[in-house]
Amino acid sequence: MSRFHMSLAIVVSVFLSIFACINVQAQDQTTSSSTINAQGNQENTVTTTKVRTSADGSTSTKTIETRHTVITSVPAADETISTPTGFISCVQIEAGWHDQVWIPAHKVCKYENSTQGVAWIEGYWRCNKATESGVCVIWEWISGRWTKTFSNY
């Protein structure tokens, strides 16, 4: 075996070893639907499917959660802070459930070379508790803030 082939075999072996050790993260898929119930009222739901695969790839766990969307109007902003200048890009995040909390649509901006963080999340009201019919009963104001990581929620 030539020196080239031996080096190539080592590189491929190392790559495959690293690849086999990577833990596959959850793959989330969210869908929204709208149906008419027996009383003739429209029901909006959000269904999230999470698939978690074990580190060795031998088993998968699938979790399906269906929740009503929050239909209550979001209160007016508690404060208005302008988005800091110097952002690279901004995205409008759609409303949805995240960690058992309803987060309405809001803007997140990405920054580079900022000492304060890599993302600015504008302030929003989040719903900490909602009825089965989607009426929010507890709103909490979350102020605009810097974060050290960029997240799409």
Side-chain angles (χ1 to χ4, degrees), residues 55-116:
D56 63 1
S58 63
T59 59
S60 293
T61 305
K62 186 176 185 179
T63 306
I64 300 174
E65 179 183 277
T66 300
R67 298 188 70 173
H68 285 81
T69 58
V70 171
I71 59 171
T72 310
S73 296
V74 178
D78 204 30
E79 63 183 352
T80 303
I81 301 173
S82 297
T83 302
T85 59
F87 57 85
I88 297 170
S89 63
C90 294
V91 293
Q92 184 71 19
I93 306 300
E94 292 185 33
W97 289 100
H98 181 75
D99 291 337
Q100 306 302 314
V101 176
W102 177 262
I103 300 177
H106 62 284
K107 185 170 69 171
V108 177
C109 294
K110 192 173 189 178
Y111 294 78
E112 279 185 4
N113 303 322
S114 172
T115 58
Q116 299 191 356

Side-chain angles (χ1 to χ4, degrees), residues 44-61:
N44 296 311
T45 59
V46 175
T47 302
T48 303
T49 304
K50 295 181 179 183
V51 178
R52 302 222 183 257
T53 305
S54 63
D56 63 1
S58 63
T59 59
S60 293
T61 305

Side-chain angles (χ1 to χ4, degrees), residues 7-68:
S7 299
L8 181 61
I10 292 170
V11 169
V12 169
S13 296
V14 169
F15 177 77
L16 291 176
S17 297
I18 291 170
F19 183 76
C21 293
I22 294 174
N23 184 7
V24 177
Q25 298 296 319
Q27 298 173 347
D28 295 355
Q29 179 180 3
T30 302
T31 58
S32 297
S33 64
S34 180
T35 58
I36 304 298
N37 65 16
Q39 292 77 29
N41 298 324
Q42 182 173 329
E43 290 186 354
N44 296 311
T45 59
V46 175
T47 302
T48 303
T49 304
K50 295 181 179 183
V51 178
R52 302 222 183 257
T53 305
S54 63
D56 63 1
S58 63
T59 59
S60 293
T61 305
K62 186 176 185 179
T63 306
I64 300 174
E65 179 183 277
T66 300
R67 298 188 70 173
H68 285 81

